[in-house]
Amino acid sequence: MARDLRALFSTNDRQMEAGEAFTDRHGQWQFVQTALTEHLTRVTAPGFDVEDLEAPRTNVIAFYGVGGIGKSTLSRTLEAALAGADGRPARWGEPSWPARPALLPVRIDLARSAGTDFERVLLTIRLALAAHLGRPLPAFDIALRRYWEHQHPGESLEEYLARGGLAGRFGKALPQQVQAALGDVAQALMLPGSIGGAVGQLTGALTQALRERRQTVRALAGCARLADLLEAEPDVDALSYYPHLLAWELAQLPAEKQVVPVILLDTFEDTGTRTHRDLERLLQRLVWLMPGAFFIVTGRGRLQWADPALEGQLDFTGPAAWPGLADQAVPAPRTAGTTTGGRQVLIGDFSADDCDDYLARRLVKDGQPLIGPELRAIITARSHGLPLYLDLSVLRFLELRRTGRTPAPEDFDADFPALITRTVADLTPDERHILRSVSLFDAFDLELATRAAGLTHQAAAARLIERPFVRHDPFALWSYNLHAVIRSTLRTADDATDDRWTDADWRAAATRALAALGEQWRAATGPDRRLLVGCLRQGLALARDHRLGLDWLTDAAHAYTDDYVWEPLPLPDVDGPATAADALAELLATLARRQHEHRSRTVERLTAVLDTGLLPAELAEMARYFLAKAHRDLGDTAASRDGMRQVAAAGGRYAPDAARGLAHLARAAGDFPTALTTAQTLGWPGRGHRVLGDIAFAHGDMTEAATAYTRARTEAEEHGNKGEQAIAQTHLALVVAFTSPARAEGEIAYAEQLLAGLDQRATTLTAQVAELVGTAGRADEFAERAERLRTEIAAGGITAVALLLELAVIFHHAVRGDEGEIREALNRLAELTAGGDYAYYLDIAHHMVGLGLPAPTPVRWAGDADAVPARWRALVTARR
């Protein structure tokens, strides 16, 4: 282990031990060369036996570190370098491996997004061997075919490989080789007829022949455990032992065909967690059972297989089993060239666990960590895995300790100015300027970086993004972001550099950054919800932190609400809004959070925002409209009606929405003629077709309601409004659920598809009510599902959906004729409508069950009032 001389010379305590860590990509290639050369020497030695299941394993190395440091790039580069000189970086040099055995690199991405399971891992390895060798591997292939017949009945291996893309990567040789292996064995056993559909018969005969040691199967008799595996239940657990057969077959190859698979397992962290290691256990068996193969693992954390504490979670554990994976005094040195027998190398930043381990073992006295666990946790959290931050924290610890007092967590509640000095030390003036500018962004691209810096050319930004403290995510909205601790330090620490910025410099850069975000949003061709939300998040933070005007944020806020898609806009809470940006951030955050809070909390938040008086008139109108909407959800129709009238009278952007709200309130009051008259004037701005559908539904006219909702959905699709499209489709699904349960399943599925990612709580609950309606009269678990849904609706405080749920419950019991349950449901409905609003739901319920109204109804139906009872009763009769 390397010595940390700075720490060593920072104290008089000679009993204290100090170590350090560092990294180097070229060193990692050297590490691979050394480890692989040792492996080739070992597996070609006369005494090497692939069937030895007790010998320690040294056939795996691991590179690990936090996300975004290039582990996958390293894995891909290693695969290319091992495949031949064409893919090897020139600076890595020529390896000194012999021509035989040949190396066969096979890279497998274990990321969840890749959908890789153990079956696919093993097939990938076998496919690569099939393409390389061009010959069957009978012991493995027969077991694989038996497994396939049991686990994939009716699906040929060839079809599966083509559908999963593996055939395109490796060719189509494997199915033919498997078939050839079966044919050869069938011929050796003199089995009659085609063996294509008689795999069970073939494996049974082969197993018996192996047990009897017949001369006809002498080619396979040398595999001592083949019969046992062919007799085992062919499930995934058995499949995980088939690599032993693969290893045995590879050992039987003639000298001119000898091959060593080099299997690169990338994104290993996605194989599970520290408590759920099912896939990891199967992969560890693969490594253990193929001692002739060489494995290169890349992931966010170290392989813990040498830890005896994992016994029971994994099959093979402890330092005796994996001598190269045992812990070192400090997490594996960050340059491969200095390792001393270890098989794990930390690259880039540290993971949280390794930060703690680093701090615990970096300074040691009498065998115990000098830095305590509480302090280590604070430093780890603030470091974001940056090794330099950990180094500086260790030095601060020693400096404080030198003063005679014990360092406390609050002593580390600050950034290190030295981080800035060391970060910008070798940057050009333009690069320094851009670095400070992009620290204003959570994420950025070259255009944002250049505009925020006020430069006219991108060259300096292009150079900056090559620096190691700039992270790259090609799938993000903006591909680049600064290392978190570097960004925090640039913005908050005392800057002692010669070209440090003044407050005016920071404000000027923030103004440019805000303008650049607005220009990107406005320049988008067509609706781009992802860009809108990203610009809003960053723009609001800039405007709040630097007290800037709202500018384009006002229009963006309107666009955010127009689609009824409520992505969260996470910004730090402030103690009382002080600027218009503060108030707007709170307004939009409240609108997003209302999908997860009781509507009474929404009323409190919106009222507080309005009371600040900080919002400009058109944004105050937005807040007032959604406040009125929240009042309506709570059943407070008087407050809702007052708010809607104010917004409608203002004639602004939300006037059509307020007019729709007034139509809903008229319907809630049972004044359907007024609701209908208003609905007919709304058009697309007021979502008129949806309101007409609501009115038709209340009248039991499901045909007219379905037509209206379909038109509403189509209109929303034409306008590119996914939120409105999901609302209309969900209400259509509810209507269809009353009339055609079979068709409703498809409509509900489509509604759920549209709702995915929209975060519309009331609409999502309505979709769940539609599911209940579709099962009304026949689902034994109906009551339990309804009760769970009732609890969820109550948590949101959404009266309209609560009424729909009780209507669904009454429909269910009316179909079944459960008189006692009907009375209870009617009582709940009566409680919900006791204030006088939505009284027509109680009328509908009585119509469903064929009961007369208990008192004269205040409801004024539109059109033929006598048709309403007949329609609702007919729905019950039809369902029966």
Side-chain angles (χ1 to χ4, degrees), residues 609-645:
V609 169
L610 282 168
D611 287 346
T612 65
L614 294 170
L615 291 173
E618 56 184 317
L619 290 176
E621 181 184 325
M622 176 197 294
R624 192 165 289 110
Y625 165 72
F626 282 102
L627 176 59
K629 200 169 183 292
H631 278 303
R632 190 187 75 207
D633 289 339
L634 290 169
D636 189 355
T637 54
S640 180
R641 187 175 291 108
D642 181 58
M644 293 293 184
R645 283 174 176 165

Side-chain angles (χ1 to χ4, degrees), residues 342-358:
R343 294 283 171 161
Q344 306 207 63
V345 177
L346 179 64
I347 57 175
D349 294 339
F350 291 174
S351 65
D353 288 340
D354 287 321
C355 283
D356 184 78
D357 195 24
Y358 175 92

Side-chain angles (χ1 to χ4, degrees), residues 697 738 803-811 841 844-845 848 872:
F697 172 78
F738 274 102
L803 291 162
L804 279 176
L805 173 61
E806 298 307 333
L807 197 65
V809 170
I810 289 171
F811 181 55
Y841 272 95
I844 291 172
M848 275 187 183
W872 283 105

Side-chain angles (χ1 to χ4, degrees), residues 775-849:
T775 64
R778 58 185 172 84
D780 293 333
E781 70 279 9
F782 187 99
E784 291 79 8
R785 291 172 59 196
E787 186 57 38
R788 288 195 298 270
L789 189 51
R790 188 177 290 117
T791 300
E792 190 173 349
I793 292 169
I798 307 172
T799 301
V801 186
L803 291 162
L804 279 176
L805 173 61
E806 298 307 333
L807 197 65
V809 170
I810 289 171
F811 181 55
H812 170 70
H813 293 304
V815 171
R816 295 165 65 100
D818 303 328
E819 294 185 5
E821 300 290 349
I822 288 173
R823 283 194 296 272
E824 291 185 15
L826 285 172
N827 288 337
R828 287 194 297 270
L829 200 54
E831 290 178 9
L832 288 170
T833 59
D837 291 316
Y838 298 105
Y840 66 89
Y841 272 95
L842 201 54
D843 290 12
I844 291 172
H846 281 85
H847 299 331
M848 275 187 183
V849 299

Side-chain angles (χ1 to χ4, degrees), residues 385-403:
L386 186 68
L388 176 56
Y389 188 97
L390 300 177
D391 290 341
L392 293 171
S393 296
V394 169
L395 293 178
R396 176 172 286 179
F397 178 90
L398 292 173
E399 180 183 351
L400 293 169
R401 189 168 176 262
R402 193 165 58 243
T403 65

